[in-house]
Each structure stands twice: as structure tokens, then as C-alpha cells.
Amino acid sequence: PIAKRDAQRRPDTKPSLNATDYAGAYEHPAYGSLAIRAGADGLALKYGKYETALKHHHFDVFAFEKTPGVWSVFQDETVAFRLSPERQVESLRLAGQDFKRVK
């Protein structure tokens, strides 16, 4: 799965927004909430007991850093941010589920 994900990567792209624009709280009606934090090293995700850095994959898509305990669960996943026509983050997609931005 990781090789398939990486084969679809578009090299030499940049995120549409600054890291701080992706930061915030996101919710899913069945899977609960998660948080995206922007720091000096880029983005990080906290979801329940899982916390890990995210690395830019392509465009507004980020992949999980290899983090013990997290890697086995999310190793081939990506976090894809969805923007409004006004270039505001509306939601993110993780593991086939859409999490709506709440703040």
C-alpha cells in the first residue's frame, strides 16, 4: 500500500496554504474529533491516543511520519485537506472519512 501511495505522488508541488491555515479542530459524527497543530517543524496530527508529525506528500495532501505506535495503524494513509472556493480549509479526509473543520 505504501508503494502504491508513493507512486501516485506528484513531486515538486507545494501546499496551497501556510501550515497555520491547516491547524485547527476537526470532527466526524461517528469517529469523533482530531486536531491539527502547526509548529516550527510543520504539521502534526493528534487523534485519540495517536500523535504524529505529518510530512508534505503533494498539493494539500500530507502523509504520516514513521512514528512508533502510530505507524502500524496509519502507515499508508494520507490526510487530504479540502479547501473552499475562498481557499479556506473546510475539512480533511483520513482513512476514507471526512472530518469537518470546527475551529
Side-chain angles (χ1 to χ4, degrees):
I2 296 168
K4 181 180 176 183
R5 179 199 69 200
D6 290 347
Q8 297 171 349
R9 182 177 176 266
R10 296 277 186 101
D12 303 320
T13 65
K14 295 180 182 178
S16 299
L17 306 170
N18 294 321
T20 55
D21 295 323
Y22 299 101
Y26 296 80
E27 290 185 354
H28 185 280
Y31 294 101
S33 60
L34 62 83
I36 300 292
R37 178 182 47 79
D41 296 334
L43 296 178
L45 177 141
K46 180 162 179 34
Y47 180 52
K49 66 180 182 178
Y50 303 108
E51 189 166 357
T52 188
L54 299 173
K55 61 182 177 181
H56 183 248
H57 187 63
H58 64 201
F59 304 113
D60 294 314
V61 178
F62 295 79
F64 286 82
E65 289 283 354
K66 194 170 187 176
T67 306
V70 177
W71 186 246
S72 61
V73 177
F74 295 111
Q75 63 183 334
D76 60 338
E77 292 291 339
T78 58
V79 175
F81 291 92
R82 297 184 185 212
L83 307 181
S84 71
E86 295 81 26
R87 296 177 42 89
Q88 301 292 316
V89 177
E90 292 184 323
S91 64
L92 65 77
R93 188 160 183 84
L94 169 63
Q97 301 299 317
D98 292 315
F99 289 74
K100 184 178 179 184
R101 187 173 191 170
V102 293
K103 25 178 169 165

